[in-house]
Amino acid sequence: MIDNDEPYPLTAWSAQFQRIRTDLDDAMRLEARLAPTSRTAEQSASLSSSMTQFWDAVDRVFASLAPARKKMRAARYNFSLQARQAALSTTVARLLVQDSENEEQAAERIHPDL
């Protein structure tokens, strides 16, 4: 999308991003209630911070799309958005791995014979 290989202008994606943002905000609230008890406050804060930084970068990209110099500004924010997406992906991946390890340990405690 940011690489400009889509037939639509970036502004056409704004509504989709808003729907995704709303869905992810709902999911984050649900995840906070259902998070494993082994998750630390720092891990939860890291996930929340990564999500906030990602959406801040998205907001800057869409704000940069004002008619004057929009291509130059969008390119400048491209790097920031990609970096935030990578950081968010890394944070989520780490938490998923830890959750899987915690589930395995719990299963071993419940069924040590297996």
Side-chain angles (χ1 to χ4, degrees):
M1 180 181 82
I2 293 239
D3 293 336
N4 223 7
D5 58 356
E6 295 288 334
Y8 308 106
L10 284 176
T11 53
W13 298 95
S14 180
Q16 286 92 334
F17 268 80
Q18 189 55 47
R19 281 193 298 277
I20 292 168
R21 185 180 207 162
T22 299
D23 289 346
L24 284 174
D25 286 346
D26 291 344
M28 289 290 291
R29 280 190 291 281
L30 181 60
E31 196 277 340
R33 288 196 331 252
L34 302 174
T37 56
S38 60
R39 181 159 311 149
T40 66
E42 292 81 20
Q43 290 170 324
S44 295
S46 175
L47 177 60
S48 179
S49 176
S50 290
M51 186 71 77
T52 298
Q53 290 174 10
F54 173 77
W55 286 115
D56 286 347
V58 168
D59 290 342
R60 285 192 304 275
V61 167
F62 283 113
S64 75
L65 298 176
R69 300 183 295 161
K70 68 180 178 183
K71 195 169 209 169
M72 181 177 65
R73 282 184 284 190
R76 183 175 63 210
Y77 290 120
N78 180 22
F79 178 75
S80 175
L81 182 56
Q82 288 174 340
R84 297 297 176 216
Q85 180 187 15
L88 180 57
S89 294
T90 299
T91 300
V92 170
R94 264 190 264 125
L95 291 173
L96 287 172
V97 167
Q98 182 177 12
D99 289 350
S100 292
E101 290 171 355
N102 290 340
E103 286 178 14
E104 287 176 17
Q105 291 171 359
E108 288 175 8
R109 285 191 304 271
I110 293 170
H111 300 287
D113 300 335
L114 297 179

